[in-house]
Amino acid sequence: MRIAVTIFLTDETITPVRLARELEQRGFAGLYLPEHTHIPVERTSPYPAGGELPREYGRTLDPFVALGQAAAVTERLGLGTGITLAAQHDPIDLAKQVATLDHLSGGRFTLGLGFGWNVEEAADHGVRWRTRRELVRDRMGLMRALWAEEPTAYEGEFGSVRASFAYPKPVRKPRGPVIGPRTLVGGAAGPKLFGNICEYADGWLPIGGRGLTEALPVLRTAWADAGRDPGALQVVPYAVRPSAGKLAHFAELGVEEVVVQLPPEGEAGVLRALDAFQTFVDGEGA
């Protein structure tokens, strides 16, 4: 099983360069970074985990800039977002950022997509909360047009683009309906989410991985009904607090990659956490 990590990198934590080098040297599979552009002080949206919103949410580094630094100092480490708030981006700009990072890293990028939880943050980007899922779907359609091998126009409900020359292209070749880098969608299990995954993604990025025993058969059925290759579905539990038993359970379900949660700390704290996770990377704790 491949073990990747996620962390809220901020202006107060370990740097992307130091962390990326350490991860590659230790044999970790990848680095996934979250995204928040800002956190409005006047906020009614509850923190999904409950309690006070942790300090790091308002100090998060831009994931694409940080992953660009990580790409420049590594050769094998996977690079991903967990997640990109696609509704909050101009899709033409985002398509260029994604394709450039994927190209410069040699195809190591995973686009983790999500719909967000912070209503106020999204509103400042002009996002209407009730239609954010449809907006993300539309954004993906537009980006797929720009990533296509031949100039392709797109006319959607929320945006459009003329047939255009748009390079570089993502490294991976089209597979089924998916064009672009490896794409995983985060969110809670349900028909709408699974429909999105089957339409424009390679798989699911479930936070924590709880409830996979019940949810995975439902997703696999939806995947097959959509005509997707059964062997191509990828499920990557995200922000996991690992234990030997938990990873063994994931393996029994066919999971091949898990993203474990690092603390948003300085170098010393992060390296201690990596030491604790090393047995899982080495296969001794799974």
Side-chain angles (χ1 to χ4, degrees):
M1 179 178 287
R2 302 189 304 276
I3 306 296
V5 306
T6 185
I7 180 175
F8 277 87
L9 286 180
T10 76
D11 56 323
E12 299 176 327
T13 66
I14 189 171
T15 66
V17 167
R18 180 72 177 93
L19 177 58
R21 285 174 168 158
E22 195 72 31
L23 291 172
E24 182 151 281
Q25 181 179 347
R26 290 168 175 259
F28 283 82
L31 170 62
Y32 290 73
L33 298 181
E35 175 182 48
H36 282 286
T37 54
H38 66 300
I39 300 294
V41 174
E42 296 183 6
R43 178 176 55 84
T44 60
S45 300
Y47 175 43
E52 293 296 318
L53 185 70
R55 172 185 177 87
E56 60 268 19
Y57 276 74
R59 307 186 75 97
T60 308
L61 299 184
D62 179 275
F64 288 95
V65 175
L67 290 170
Q69 285 198 331
V73 297
T74 57
E75 296 179 352
R76 302 176 304 279
L77 187 70
L79 309 160
T81 52
I83 47 72
T84 295
L85 295 166
Q88 299 180 186
H89 287 265
D90 177 285
I92 299 175
D93 286 341
L94 182 58
K96 177 66 77 174
Q97 287 178 285
V98 167
T100 298
L101 180 54
D102 195 51
H103 168 74
L104 293 177
S105 67
R108 289 186 279 150
F109 182 63
T110 293
L111 176 61
L113 288 171
F115 307 103
W117 60 268
N118 192 326
V119 177
E120 291 76 23
E121 177 186 359
D124 284 348
H125 287 277
V127 176
R128 293 184 178 180
W129 193 248
R130 291 184 178 179
T131 59
R132 71 193 188 284
R133 291 177 181 271
E134 292 76 14
L135 177 59
V136 170
R137 178 178 179 271
D138 197 68
R139 296 274 196 261
M140 285 303 299
L142 192 153
M143 291 193 292
R144 288 201 307 267
L146 290 170
W147 292 333
E149 289 299 323
E150 298 297 329
T152 303
Y154 179 81
E155 185 70 39
E157 180 181 357
F158 299 94
S160 62
V161 68
R162 298 172 176 84
S164 304
F165 299 109
Y167 289 85
K169 301 296 185 186
V171 173
R172 296 194 183 207
K173 298 300 181 184
R175 54 240 175 250
V178 184
I179 299 174
R182 180 190 189 217
T183 302
L184 304 173
V185 181
K192 185 174 290 187
L193 178 77
F194 290 168
N196 293 148
I197 292 170
C198 295
E199 181 180 357
Y200 58 76
D202 295 295
W204 186 22
L205 200 65
I207 294 178
R210 182 178 297 179
L212 283 185
T213 302
E214 296 76 27
L216 266 181
V218 179
L219 174 56
R220 286 172 174 151
T221 297
W223 186 265
D225 290 346
R228 303 292 299 273
D229 176 3
L233 175 63
Q234 300 178 48
V235 176
V236 182
Y238 185 78
V240 170
R241 309 288 181 178
S243 68
K246 189 179 293 186
L247 295 185
H249 174 61
F250 289 155
E252 290 174 357
L253 295 175
V255 169
E256 297 180 351
E257 180 183 357
V258 173
V259 183
V260 301
Q261 181 72 59
L262 288 175
E265 297 180 6
E267 184 171 315
V270 169
L271 294 184
R272 282 195 299 270
L274 292 179
D275 287 340
F277 294 156
Q278 193 68 52
T279 55
F280 302 123
V281 175
D282 297 338
E284 299 169 7

